[in-house]
């Protein structure tokens, strides 16, 4: 329908004129076809007439026969002239044959029946199509304008995709490493819990050792400040006290104190045994010897309180320490557990014990 829009808009008179012209050219074509077909039979007709004249009697002369044939030819021609009514003189549309001419006439008649609403709708459709075409052309122009930027962005997008893939691989590796570390942390936490339990169990002994070290440091300070002129006497008294308590009598040959008041436990070869890792019991004996020496050389008596006196001592040292403590001239208070100063150890010092007290533990509420 859209391709016939020009014919639909040209108006009814023009379409009627075109149809009339095509009809007249159709008449011309049929007239020419009939005349051409008749001309092809004319000579045969004249030959038949001439043969018939030769049979006449009397016979016709040659001139008479020629005259008859010319008359017949003239009469034949008059059968086709004048041409029929409504016959075109020439062809204005020679490119159309009879069938095509008929189709054009039918189409023109259909357009004659086409109303104004249909034409308006057709025009609206054309306008919409033109608008859509314009939008497509604009889109093509914009696309062509941004094509270089699209290539750049495509390359950038490809690069970003590669980076993302690399980051994903790194994240995977980090997650695996994190899982391994979490497993190690779990094991470390287990070990820490175990060590914390062991530390809690060792806390009382550690506190006692810390107190002993603190006392030793305090005594060292007292020695350094109070009796710098009696260093040799203190060293000799420490040697005597230490040998009375230690069961390895030949291990420490003597105790020496230098001008800086540094105390040394020297063996027979002159090697300072304090440079080695002494046991808790050996440290206690050393501290006790120092306290006894200071007390003896100073000439001043003071009471001594010893908590768990045998807790860090082996069997060989226990009796030596107890006998040394009971030989002191001044009061000694021993805070013993039920596994220390009992049995043979208590019997060993019984003649020197003035009072004994038993402390009972009693829980009161949530305290104790």
């Amino acid at each position: 329908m859209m391709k016939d829009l020009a014919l639909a808009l040209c108006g009814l008179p023009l379409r009627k004129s075109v149809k009339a012209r095509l009809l007249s050219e159709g008449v011309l074509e049929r007239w020419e076809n009939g005349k051409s077909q008749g001309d092809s039979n004319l000579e045969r007709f004249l030959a038949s007439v001439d043969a018939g004249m030769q049979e006449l009697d009397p016979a016709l002369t040659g001139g008479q026969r020629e005259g008859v044939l010319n008359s017949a030819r003239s009469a034949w021609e008059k059968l086709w002239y004048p041409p029929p009514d409504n016959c075109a003189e020439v062809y204005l549309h020679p490119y159309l044959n009879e069938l095509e001419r008929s189709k054009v006439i039918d189409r023109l008649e259909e357009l004659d029946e086409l109303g104004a609403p249909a034409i308006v709708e057709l025009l609206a459709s054309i306008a919409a199509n033109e608008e859509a075409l314009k939008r497509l052309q604009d889109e093509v122009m914009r696309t062509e304008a941004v094509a270089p930027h699209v290539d750049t962005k495509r390359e950038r997008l490809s690069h970003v995709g590669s980076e993302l893939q690399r980051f994903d691989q790194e994240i995977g590796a980090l997650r695996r490493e994190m899982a391994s570390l979490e497993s190690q942390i779990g094991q470390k936490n287990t070990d820490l819990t175990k060590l914390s339990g062991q530390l809690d169990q060792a806390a009382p002994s550690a506190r006692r050792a810390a107190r002993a070290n603190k006392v030793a440091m305090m005594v060292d300070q007292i020695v350094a400040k109070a009796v710098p002129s009696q260093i040799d006497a203190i060293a000799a008294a420490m040697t005597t006290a230490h040998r009375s308590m230690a069961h390895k009598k030949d291990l420490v040959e003597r105790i020496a104190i230098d001008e800086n008041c540094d105390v040394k436990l020297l063996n027979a070869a002159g090697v300072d045994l304090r440079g080695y890792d002494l046991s808790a019991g050996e440290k206690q004996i050393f501290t006790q010897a120092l306290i006894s020496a200071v007390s003896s050389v100073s000439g001043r008596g003071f009471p001594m309180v010893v908590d768990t006196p045998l807790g860090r001592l082996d069997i060989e040292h226990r009796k030596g320490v107890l006998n040394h403590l009971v030989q002191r001239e001044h009061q000694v208070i021993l805070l013993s557990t039920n596994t220390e100063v009992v049995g043979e150890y208590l019997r060993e010092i019984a003649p020197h014990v003035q009072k004994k007290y038993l402390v009972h533990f009693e829980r009161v509420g949530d305290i104790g």
Side-chain angles (χ1 to χ4, degrees), residues 90-241:
V90 294
Y91 289 103
L92 296 181
H93 306 285
Y95 46 83
L96 296 176
N97 57 32
E98 182 67 21
L99 179 60
E100 292 170 343
R101 191 180 297 110
S102 176
K103 290 181 178 180
V104 172
I105 293 172
D106 292 341
R107 190 61 184 153
L108 290 173
E109 290 177 349
E110 290 179 1
L111 291 174
D112 290 342
E113 298 175 358
L114 186 63
I119 295 176
V120 171
E121 181 181 355
L122 186 60
L123 290 174
S125 176
I126 292 173
N129 290 336
E130 289 178 348
E131 182 65 24
L133 178 61
K134 185 177 182 304
R135 288 197 300 270
L136 289 176
Q137 290 174 342
D138 293 341
E139 186 66 25
V140 169
M141 293 178 63
R142 287 195 298 270
T143 302
E144 291 176 349
V146 301
H149 301 289
V150 170
D151 293 338
T152 302
K153 292 184 182 298
R154 186 180 294 110
E155 293 177 0
R156 177 59 180 166
L157 183 61
S158 177
H159 176 71
V160 171
S162 300
E163 288 294 306
L164 287 176
Q165 185 177 6
R166 182 173 64 84
F167 288 149
D168 287 340
Q169 293 175 353
E170 292 180 359
I171 289 173
L174 290 174
R175 284 177 176 171
R176 290 190 294 271
E177 183 178 358
M178 186 170 64
S180 176
L181 292 175
E182 288 176 349
S183 176
Q184 295 179 22
I185 290 173
Q187 182 61 42
K188 297 296 183 184
N189 287 334
T190 302
D191 296 341
L192 180 60
T193 301
K194 185 184 299 183
L195 291 174
S196 296
Q198 295 175 357
L199 182 61
D200 291 340
Q201 294 177 358
S205 298
R207 286 194 296 270
R208 288 192 294 269
R211 287 195 296 269
N213 288 333
K214 186 175 181 180
V215 170
M217 292 175 61
M218 182 178 65
V219 172
D220 287 342
Q221 293 174 359
I222 293 173
V223 170
K225 294 180 180 180
V227 289
S229 61
Q230 297 178 327
I231 289 177
D232 293 338
I234 293 176
M238 282 188 68
T239 301
T240 302

Side-chain angles (χ1 to χ4, degrees), residues 37-51:
Q37 186 177 5
D39 290 345
S40 65
N41 295 322
L42 175 60
E43 296 302 325
R44 190 173 57 182
F45 171 71
L46 293 176
S48 178
V49 171
D50 186 45

